[in-house]
Amino acid sequence: MNSIEIIDEIKPHKNDIIIDKYRYSGFYESSLDLMLKSLDIKHLIIGVVFTDWFVLATVLDTYYRDYQVNLH
C-alpha cells in the first residue's frame, strides 16, 4: 500500500470528517451521502487540488443527488 502525505495547508484538523473513497466519485460505496444527509447539508462547495475525472464524477454525483453544487 502507498503512503500518503498531505501538505500542511490542506491537512485535516482534529475534528474534520474524513471520507474514504474507492472510485472516481466520492459518493460511490462511501458514507458521504449518508453523512451529508445526517448533517442536513444541502449545498456543497467543492475545491479542487487536482482537476481530473475524479472531480467531475463527484460533482456530477452531487448534482444527481439534488445537492446544490459549486466547483472552485
Side-chain angles (χ1 to χ4, degrees):
M1 183 177 286
N2 293 335
S3 173
I4 297 173
E5 291 187 36
I6 301 175
I7 61 173
D8 289 337
E9 290 81 7
I10 61 171
K11 194 171 278 188
H13 293 100
K14 184 173 95 173
N15 294 326
D16 286 347
I17 298 169
I18 299 171
I19 304 291
D20 291 325
K21 96 186 202 40
Y22 304 97
R23 295 289 188 270
Y24 287 134
S25 173
F27 285 94
Y28 182 83
E29 293 188 3
S30 77
S31 59
L32 180 57
D33 196 35
L34 179 63
M35 187 269 310
L36 293 172
K37 287 179 179 175
S38 73
L39 295 171
D40 199 31
I41 303 294
K42 305 218 184 309
H43 188 171
L44 298 177
I45 299 171
I46 298 177
V48 180
V49 177
F50 297 104
T51 309
D52 59 13
W53 292 107
F54 300 99
V55 174
L56 177 60
T58 299
V59 168
L60 289 174
D61 274 352
T62 302
Y63 173 77
Y64 296 149
R65 286 172 169 77
D66 293 324
Y67 294 99
Q68 296 175 30
V69 60
N70 292 78
L71 177 63
H72 292 274

